[in-house]
């Protein structure tokens, strides 16, 4: 299954739970937000930045680590433009977030974005 999903966009949480119950892989697109105007970015959230600073990681790594820790069926196909960025993405597999950090990141969606409406990009003609 593929849908937009990440720490700042959890609209499809019920569908993710269904996939987990059925053992269906979940491959989110825009796991860190998007370059489209008006779509929030995980890497710009104060909680994500603070967690990255505490862990000596990048905000992108924290956003992806949250995703991998959130569901056993979550997979990541992270885009990259360099070998260094690829190494940064691979290192995410070694980042385990503690329960307090996970709870802090879990709260971002409800606190800031759940009531904001649909953050999906609007395609224009």
């Amino acid at each position: 299954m593929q849908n937009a999903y990440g720490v700042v966009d959890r609209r499809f949480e019920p569908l993710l739970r269904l996939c987990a119950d059925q053992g269906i892989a979940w491959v989110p697109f825009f796991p860190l937000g998007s370059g489209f105007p008006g779509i929030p970015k995980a890497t710009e959230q104060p909680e994500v930045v603070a967690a990255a600073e505490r862990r000596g990681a990048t905000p992108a790594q924290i956003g992806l680590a949250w995703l991998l820790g959130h569901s056993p069926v979550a997979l990541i196909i992270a885009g990259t433009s360099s070998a260094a960025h690829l190494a940064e993405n691979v290192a995410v597999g070694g980042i385990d977030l503690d329960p307090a950090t996970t709870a802090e990141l879990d709260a971002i969606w409800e606190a800031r974005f759940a009531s904001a409406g649909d953050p999906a990009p609007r395609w224009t003609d």
Side-chain angles (χ1 to χ4, degrees):
M1 174 60 77
Q2 189 174 29
N3 277 315
Y5 188 82
V7 72
V8 296
D9 185 357
R10 295 177 57 192
R11 293 171 291 150
F12 298 107
E13 191 76 27
L15 186 55
L16 171 59
R17 277 188 250 123
L18 177 64
C19 286
D21 290 345
Q22 300 298 316
I24 298 169
W26 181 265
V27 184
F29 57 86
F30 299 148
L32 297 174
S34 167
F36 291 104
I39 296 179
K41 294 171 183 56
T43 56
E44 295 175 354
Q45 304 311 307
E47 300 88 344
V48 174
V49 172
E53 289 172 358
R54 289 192 304 267
R55 290 297 307 263
T58 68
Q61 287 176 313
I62 295 299
L64 295 176
W66 174 87
L67 183 59
L68 289 177
H70 185 67
S71 174
V73 297
L75 304 172
I76 295 174
I77 301 174
T80 185
S81 59
S82 70
H85 192 214
L86 176 61
E88 180 182 311
N89 288 341
V90 170
V92 169
I95 298 174
D96 291 318
L97 301 176
D98 62 81
T101 300
T102 299
E104 184 181 17
L105 299 176
D106 283 347
I108 293 171
W109 169 248
E110 286 297 328
R112 239 177 256 125
F113 301 109
S115 64
D118 183 356
R122 298 285 179 233
W123 307 110
T124 59
D125 294 334

